[in-house]
Amino acid sequence: MAPDQAGTGRLPAAFLTPGSSSFAEFLGDHSPELLPGRRTPPATALTTEAPHGTTIVALTFPGGVVMAGDRRATMGNYIAQRDIEKVFHADDFSCVGIAGAAGLAIEMVRLFQVELEHYEKIEGITLSLEGKANRLAMMIRGNLGMAMQGLAVVPLFAGYDEEETDPAGQGRIYSYDVTGGRYEEHKFHSVGSGSLFARGALKKLWREDFSQDDAVLCAVQSIYDAADEDSATGGPDLARKLYPVVAVVTQDGYRRLSDDEVGQFIQVVIDARMQHPGGPPAPLR
Amino acid sequence: MTMPFGYVSPEQLMKDRADYARKGIARGRSVVVLAYDDGILFVAENLSRALHKISEIYDRIAFAAVGKYNEFENLRIAGVRLADLRGYSYDRRDVTGRQLANAYAQTLGTIFTQESKPYEVEIVVAEVGETAEQDQIYRLTYDGSVADEHGFVAMGGQADQITTALEERWRAGLTLTDALALAVELLGRDPVSGDQRSLTASQLEVAVLERARPRRKFRRLSANAMSRLLGQGEGNGEDDGDGEPAGQRPDERDISPPTSLAGGSHEPPGPAPNDTGS
């Protein structure tokens, strides 16, 4: 394999050839077997054999964006993993959450992370937030064959837009379809099997004047509602202290909340649900 | 003394090539790389803010070069590709400065003997370790020779004078302020007349591999941070310059660590492993 040769001998010509600043394009030329989208799709659908990740939510607040994901991966009607992490650091000012075939999705996120860092190192500047969103769309487009065999990857991308001066527009969210279609979402969005229930909660709870803590609480509430209605979404596991992964991106950069911090929000949610199991009642008028 | 037309002895050929490369390198301004207590410091005299002589290669590894820009830029990009490919196909921890230095040595050696013209470059590959003893600084010359340096390296036009001075004045455990002041003083000394120029932040390119920084250790010092450190360096020079203000460039900022799944080695504190057992 190429890296082995390179470690002992001279750098292969491909390394010294002037090319683009994209790591994925370099891989495509030099080691195409490492690209997630270049494999032969399985002959039959693998909907129940491969672990699938479920619910991711993201919502904006003035000055940033919050993303949260539950901790469950399912394989058909089994729970494949109860502590999977589906929200990742993409670079210093963006994060990506994944729903769909977990193995492919995590591989895609790794490639995406290297892609962003590679560009930054080669060019000395970071991609624009939209540039990052478009690169992710291209990777998903390459996965269409797999998606047709039940191995769809549906990410949610969110970040802090450093070029935006209005705090209300600084947190931005992008969603994708299996064909690589990229759509900018406003206020909030959710993907995965529990997304419909989560979105219902987000719709009722989201306010434009949220503080960061309000936004985190809202994200945790909506994941709770998704877990309440969808068997493939995991709720907070108090016995094992497994809570949703929550990431916040603001002008200070990406930060994942510690389990202790998320645990405090979970406690607030659970205490309130002892009185109102359906969550905070919304005013009718 | 009759010789076949166009015959040049191998000794003469190598000597001519080496002289050619040396001349090219000696024309450029110098770069100094030196270890300090919390990492490795890179200082270059460079008027350009866009064309770098010092760059990040990977989490713990940085690159510094003198000579012809297009040639060392080509090597730098190849190094970033090599490191990123290796980190992607294995793990981030499997990328080391030694591998990179080897690959560069082989490449420069082959170019020196086989191509019509050698690369007029000299480069340093430095890797910051967990402790100062584990720091590695490799110096590579135009013919592919590798030297494993201890503590400091100077390259470029004034390399000899600066190296001589560093042999006297560098010691292990310098603070960042002292190390920067020393490097700037030596870079500003005229090799022939010995006159001292005082270099300002706008004439310098400065970066560090900071041992304590999470994941990506490379950070450029903004002009403000540099001026502040240099100002202190001329004073009592006690502060080691912690708490830099965030700059505008991505590699000048202080950032929070990513999670381990995202490729970082740092995970926010979670429950102890036995709490999560099923």
Side-chain angles (χ1 to χ4, degrees), chain B residues 57-74:
Chain B
I57 297 278
Y58 211 63
D59 295 355
R60 305 178 147 271
I61 306 170
F63 172 97
V66 293
K68 246 185 136 195
Y69 178 78
N70 68 321
E71 291 174 347
F72 68 69
E73 174 69 1
N74 190 232

Side-chain angles (χ1 to χ4, degrees), chain A residues 152-223:
Chain A
V153 174
V154 187
L156 191 59
F157 178 70
Y160 174 83
D161 190 347
E162 294 173 88
E163 287 152 38
E164 177 63 56
T165 49
D166 176 17
Q170 281 171 338
R172 294 172 75 177
I173 303 171
Y174 297 89
S175 73
Y176 300 85
D177 64 28
V178 289
T179 61
R182 189 216 80 179
Y183 314 94
E184 178 160 8
E185 305 291 344
H186 298 283
K187 300 175 184 173
F188 53 81
H189 196 70
S190 57
V191 294
S193 62
S195 62
L196 298 182
F197 309 109
R199 209 173 305 159
L202 288 167
K203 194 192 281 180
K204 298 290 176 216
L205 296 176
W206 188 86
R207 304 280 182 275
E208 61 188 18
D209 61 347
F210 267 169
S211 68
Q212 178 178 314
D213 281 357
D214 293 343
V216 172
L217 185 61
C218 177
V220 171
Q221 290 275 19
S222 65
I223 294 267

Side-chain angles (χ1 to χ4, degrees), chain B residues 231-278:
Chain B
Q232 286 170 349
E234 284 154 22
N236 52 18
E238 276 167 15
D239 196 327
D240 65 355
D242 280 344
E244 298 300 334
Q248 289 306 301
R249 300 175 46 85
D251 41 13
E252 284 174 357
R253 285 191 198 104
D254 271 327
I255 48 145
S256 55
T259 62
S260 67
L261 268 168
S265 55
H266 291 256
E267 190 68 11
N274 53 0
D275 286 347
T276 58
S278 42

Side-chain angles (χ1 to χ4, degrees), chain B residues 216-242:
Chain B
R216 288 166 73 179
K217 315 277 182 193
F218 183 85
R219 182 165 66 94
R220 287 187 195 283
L221 261 55
S222 63
N224 283 342
M226 241 187 283
S227 311
R228 218 158 48 80
L229 282 171
L230 284 171
Q232 286 170 349
E234 284 154 22
N236 52 18
E238 276 167 15
D239 196 327
D240 65 355
D242 280 344

Side-chain angles (χ1 to χ4, degrees), chain A residues 3 16 118 121 162 254 259, chain B residues 57 74 84 86 253 256 271:
Chain A
L16 293 158
H118 188 80
K121 287 192 288 199
E162 294 173 88
Y254 170 96
D259 284 356
Chain B
I57 297 278
N74 190 232
D84 277 345
R86 188 169 275 264
R253 285 191 198 104
S256 55

Side-chain angles (χ1 to χ4, degrees), chain A residues 3-4 6 10-11 14-17 27 89 92-93 110 113 117-118 120-122 124 162 254 256 259, chain B residues 57 74 76 78 81-82 84-88 90 92 107 110 216 249 253 255-256 258-259 261-262 267 271:
Chain A
D4 284 328
R10 75 170 282 188
L11 290 158
F15 285 69
L16 293 158
T17 311
L27 268 193
H89 167 273
D92 296 346
F93 288 96
R110 281 190 73 211
Q113 289 167 341
E117 188 187 315
H118 188 80
E120 190 184 313
K121 287 192 288 199
I122 299 280
E162 294 173 88
Y254 170 96
R256 180 186 156 169
D259 284 356
Chain B
I57 297 278
N74 190 232
R76 178 185 78 89
R81 286 174 175 167
L82 177 71
D84 277 345
L85 178 59
R86 188 169 275 264
Y88 179 68
Y90 299 108
R92 295 194 81 92
T107 306
T110 316
R216 288 166 73 179
R249 300 175 46 85
R253 285 191 198 104
I255 48 145
S256 55
T259 62
L261 268 168
E267 190 68 11

Side-chain angles (χ1 to χ4, degrees), chain B residues 30-42:
Chain B
S30 296
V31 175
V32 181
V33 180
L34 64 172
Y36 67 99
D37 55 356
D38 294 323
I40 300 174
L41 170 71
F42 302 78

